[in-house]
Amino acid sequence: MKNKIKNWTASDIPKSSGGLAVVTGGTEGIGFQDVLALASAGWEVIMTGRDPKKGMGSIVQVHKSYQKAKVSFEKIDLANLSSVKAFGERMKEKGRSIDLLINNAGIMTPPKRLETADGLELQFGTNHIGHFALTAHLVPLLTMGNNPRVVTVSSIGNRDGRINFDDLQSTSSYKPMEAYAQSKLANLMFAFELQRQSYKHDWGIMSLSAHPGVSRTNLLITGAGRWSSSGIMRTFLPFMFQPPAMGALPTLFAATSPEAEPGAYYGPNKLSETRGFPTPAKIPVQAEDKMVAKKLWDISLELANVTYDHKKY
């Protein structure tokens, strides 16, 4: 596979005749680049975020680049399961099938332990459980889609991650990077397990994961803070970070390329996967543990208070 992907770019996205995509965290950064690229290729895109005003501004920016773009905004707070459920219900009321879901939004390394509205550690609750719940709510609509795909965005930070079932919510000990790594490892393991569940239950959903390498977005600043070590690097050493449009390519490849494979994981192809064009990414050994992945899936069902029942619609 590595030799088949030749400097793939957004211009290689197959033209869509009106497929519907949902992109979380679509108002800025990698997510915004996903929205731009998909819209330019003919997709109808729902960008989601917490701030409607910011969402409207982002839509204006999309239309400046692509006047014919079909883009709308929907409010979702992934740190609030009621908000996630409400979005799912709104989508079901519309009855429109979904062809692509990109689980992109995330938060990174807040210096102090914070909690979601449902009492979960903020990074685990937002990055993993929020997207786990969202996907569950949208499965009935995804199974109605045309060759539907779910792409869950992970991070090279998952390499040092482990699923600590004894302290999933970091209540005994909170270390920002450890909690982040756990949440992004959970994203990757969720993508793999979702593919296995899709095969098992014949959902017809293709599940993949991708990571953006090290990209120039506000994720570092909004999480750890501008004056954290990572925030300082982002602010004063921007040449170390690739542009968001490049960072979005692995996700877009996973989301749209005919060459992308079920259950695969993609990232940049240069400098230890920190930058470059899409290529199959190195999978951490711990992410391949199917028993841990299934246990995480079962616990996540309880924490998210959802079921994966494509007929429940």
Side-chain angles (χ1 to χ4, degrees), residues 97-134:
S97 61
I98 297 174
D99 306 294
L100 173 63
L101 169 62
I102 298 181
N103 290 322
N104 163 79
I107 186 168
M108 182 178 182
T109 60
K112 295 182 179 179
R113 183 185 181 278
L114 302 172
E115 292 187 347
T116 68
D118 304 281
L120 306 176
E121 187 275 316
L122 187 62
Q123 295 181 91
F124 186 80
T126 302
N127 299 349
H128 171 57
I129 295 298
H131 283 123
F132 184 94
L134 174 63

Side-chain angles (χ1 to χ4, degrees), residues 207-226:
S207 174
L208 313 89
S209 188
H211 76 81
V214 179
S215 300
R216 197 159 54 242
T217 71
N218 288 328
L219 180 63
L220 292 171
I221 293 174
T222 55
R226 181 176 294 277

Side-chain angles (χ1 to χ4, degrees), residues 164-193:
N164 184 0
F165 290 116
D166 293 328
D167 193 20
L168 268 181
Q169 308 307 327
S170 304
T171 52
S172 298
S173 173
Y174 175 73
K175 296 180 180 179
M177 196 61 204
E178 285 187 7
Y180 177 72
Q182 175 181 249
S183 73
K184 301 315 285 185
L185 177 61
N187 284 151
L188 182 57
M189 297 183 81
F190 163 60
F192 292 161
E193 184 61 28

Side-chain angles (χ1 to χ4, degrees), residues 117-159:
D118 304 281
L120 306 176
E121 187 275 316
L122 187 62
Q123 295 181 91
F124 186 80
T126 302
N127 299 349
H128 171 57
I129 295 298
H131 283 123
F132 184 94
L134 174 63
T135 306
H137 289 303
L138 297 184
V139 157
L141 300 177
L142 284 161
T143 58
M144 294 164 52
N146 180 28
N147 298 316
R149 298 190 191 188
V150 175
V151 181
T152 302
V153 179
S154 186
S155 163
I156 54 175
N158 65 27
R159 295 172 179 174

